[in-house]
Amino acid sequence: PNGTVWTWIRTGSPFSEQAPRLSDMAQAFQPHAILGVDWSGMLAATKLSVPTAVPIYLSFRVYYASTGLTDHPEAIEFYKDAERKAIAQSRVSLGLTKQDVHLMEKLYDGQFKAAVLLPPLRREILHIATAPDASAPKREFLVCCVRLAREKNALLFADVVVELAPFLVQ
């Protein structure tokens, strides 16, 4: 949106400023479901005021368990509260891994159940995975797929590869 400043989704972020305009659009569209991605998306979804839509919470990441928060107990509590609210406001809660679902359920002492939603393989990747070309040379890959951010520590992966190189390369 014009002139809007988007920042990290945390306390004091302006992400909900667009809610009234988006609510009008959502009500006109009349969706059957609204998918809130992460706690902030769920918060925005609840502000859309579409009573006929099933609210679905999809956690791409459990923020309260982030490793960079160990020295910030107030941030951990903020995220725990925000993620509890997201779960409470949804009819269905989904995580991308068993570990994430476990952490989500832990917020309610196991009193609710979330499900794991595994990302689908694209058709061409599925074909490669299930019917490899026997004539192609066997190749193995060691891959790190993370956002380049300090808390992801992508450089550690590079350091580990350097150390493991004598064992990996033949």
Side-chain angles (χ1 to χ4, degrees), residues 59-133:
S59 175
F60 275 17
R61 164 183 164 188
V62 179
Y63 284 77
Y64 85 85
S66 297
T67 57
L69 296 178
T70 53
D71 294 335
H72 304 283
E74 72 288 347
I76 293 171
E77 289 308 311
F78 169 80
Y79 287 125
K80 280 183 174 182
D81 183 56
E83 289 169 327
R84 270 190 208 100
K85 286 178 184 171
I87 291 165
Q89 293 167 337
S90 69
R91 194 170 314 157
V92 176
S93 293
L94 304 167
L96 295 182
T97 67
K98 289 179 184 178
Q99 176 64 17
D100 284 354
V101 165
H102 170 74
L103 291 168
M104 291 163 63
E105 291 174 347
K106 193 172 163 181
L107 284 169
Y108 280 94
D109 296 321
Q111 298 300 308
F112 96 101
K113 292 293 177 196
V116 177
L117 178 66
L118 298 174
L121 288 177
R122 292 188 345 233
R123 186 173 297 145
E124 61 271 21
I125 301 300
L126 178 62
H127 176 72
I128 292 169
T130 57
D133 181 358

Side-chain angles (χ1 to χ4, degrees), residues 1-8 12-15 17-18:
N2 296 337
T4 300
V5 177
W6 292 85
T7 62
W8 269 15
S13 292
F15 70 94
E17 291 174 3
Q18 300 299 319

Side-chain angles (χ1 to χ4, degrees), residues 14-89:
F15 70 94
S16 61
E17 291 174 3
Q18 300 299 319
R21 188 174 68 82
L22 295 175
S23 182
D24 292 342
M25 293 169 62
Q27 288 175 22
F29 182 66
Q30 286 297 303
H32 296 287
I34 294 179
L35 180 67
V37 176
D38 290 331
W39 67 267
S40 57
M42 197 63 207
L43 176 61
T46 61
K47 292 180 182 291
L48 294 179
S49 303
V50 183
T52 57
V54 174
I56 301 170
Y57 172 49
L58 175 55
S59 175
F60 275 17
R61 164 183 164 188
V62 179
Y63 284 77
Y64 85 85
S66 297
T67 57
L69 296 178
T70 53
D71 294 335
H72 304 283
E74 72 288 347
I76 293 171
E77 289 308 311
F78 169 80
Y79 287 125
K80 280 183 174 182
D81 183 56
E83 289 169 327
R84 270 190 208 100
K85 286 178 184 171
I87 291 165
Q89 293 167 337

